[in-house]
Amino acid sequence: SQQGEEDPQALSIQEGENATMNCSYKTSINNLQWYRQNSGRGLVHLILIRSNEREKHSGRLRVTLDTSKKSSSLLITASRAADTASYFCATDDSGAGSYQLTFGKGTKLSVIP
Amino acid sequence: GAGVSQSPSNKVTEKGKDVELRCDPISGHTALYWYRQRLGQGLEFLIYFQGNSAPDKSGLPSDRFSAERTGESVSTLTIQRTQQEDSAVYLCASSLVLGWNTEAFFGQGTRLTVV
């Protein structure tokens, strides 16, 4: 399977609830990034966490990284209807020395007003 | 410009025709990437450029696909003899430098439909 796989594939929550999405990857990485995509078009960068970091916050977003388990989670607190989108994690492959960002298939989040 | 610009926004073409997709990166961004996204899927890496270095073409799916970039400016992705399986959104991104710790800025994509 590919680098950077998100789970769940789809998530539906009520406005105000927290949403948690997970990402697993296979290789050693330099950093992991989360992106958001609305309506299947351009992606917007949300947050980047380096391999030597364990947790990072940005507004209502909280990202954790566990390099021993090769996994990351994205938590969106106090969700809003406007958070409805697909969320992707993206990783590099430090072992391959590649600058490719490899994206997973994403988690489709629906926030119900 | 203020962001990454892609054109056309939508393209419908007949099977067997050639298409050319354009990407204008953010001014000053030395790295440029092309990705393909099929409906409901993740992003599939195609190619990236870094300044005047040789591009990494390892993601191009066949020899029908090619891309060019002049210096640190516009890039074009060309698909020859299009097939129905080429239908997808083609996304371009640029970043300030080519590296593992810089964010990529994406355009809105070109939705290609091959009929």
Side-chain angles (χ1 to χ4, degrees), chain B:
Chain B
V4 177
S5 177
Q6 291 188 246
S7 61
S9 180
N10 292 281
K11 175 73 176 178
V12 179
T13 190
E14 291 182 354
K15 179 180 172 181
K17 300 281 189 184
D18 297 352
V19 295
E20 192 171 277
L21 312 180
R22 177 186 169 108
C23 173
D24 282 271
I26 293 172
S27 178
H29 280 195
T30 61
L32 186 147
Y33 311 78
W34 283 99
Y35 288 87
R36 176 170 72 178
Q37 186 179 30
R38 293 196 167 105
L39 187 63
Q41 300 296 310
L43 275 69
E44 177 186 3
F45 168 79
L46 297 177
I47 187 171
Y48 71 68
F49 298 88
Q50 167 62 44
N52 294 318
S53 301
D56 180 345
K57 303 180 181 180
S58 60
L60 295 178
S62 76
D63 59 7
R64 296 187 296 105
F65 288 73
S66 63
E68 292 185 350
R69 186 184 187 196
T70 305
E72 296 180 356
S73 61
V74 172
S75 175
T76 55
L77 176 69
T78 302
I79 309 173
Q80 296 177 309
R81 305 181 303 281
T82 52
Q83 304 294 312
Q84 287 187 330
E85 62 262 28
D86 298 335
S87 296
V89 175
Y90 289 81
L91 291 160
C92 175
S94 70
S95 65
L96 192 58
V97 295
L98 183 64
W100 296 300
N101 60 355
T102 54
E103 68 175 277
F105 293 82
F106 281 81
Q108 289 301 300
T110 293
R111 186 180 300 279
L112 176 65
T113 304
V114 181
V115 297

Side-chain angles (χ1 to χ4, degrees), chain A residues 2 30-33 35 37-45 48 50 88 92-94 96-106, chain B residues 8-10 33 35 37 40-45 48 56 58-59 89 91 98-111:
Chain A
Q2 61 179 321
N30 292 287
N31 63 62
L32 184 145
Q33 305 184 42
Y35 286 81
Q37 183 180 42
N38 287 74
S39 305
R41 299 307 286 256
L43 279 74
V44 175
H45 181 265
L48 180 153
R50 302 186 198 286
F88 295 87
D92 55 50
D93 182 349
S94 63
S98 168
Y99 293 111
Q100 292 181 28
L101 275 182
T102 302
F103 289 79
K105 293 184 178 180
Chain B
S9 180
N10 292 281
Y33 311 78
Y35 288 87
Q37 186 179 30
Q41 300 296 310
L43 275 69
E44 177 186 3
F45 168 79
Y48 71 68
D56 180 345
S58 60
V89 175
L91 291 160
L98 183 64
W100 296 300
N101 60 355
T102 54
E103 68 175 277
F105 293 82
F106 281 81
Q108 289 301 300
T110 293
R111 186 180 300 279

Side-chain angles (χ1 to χ4, degrees), chain A residues 18-64:
Chain A
N18 295 341
T20 300
M21 290 159 270
N22 302 297
C23 168
S24 61
Y25 58 92
K26 295 186 178 296
T27 67
S28 297
I29 63 171
N30 292 287
N31 63 62
L32 184 145
Q33 305 184 42
W34 283 92
Y35 286 81
R36 166 193 166 125
Q37 183 180 42
N38 287 74
S39 305
R41 299 307 286 256
L43 279 74
V44 175
H45 181 265
L46 296 176
I47 197 165
L48 180 153
I49 185 165
R50 302 186 198 286
S51 60
N52 61 354
E53 297 177 310
R54 292 296 167 259
E55 188 170 312
K56 200 162 184 180
H57 297 254
S58 177
R60 293 184 296 113
L61 305 180
R62 173 176 166 253
V63 169
T64 62

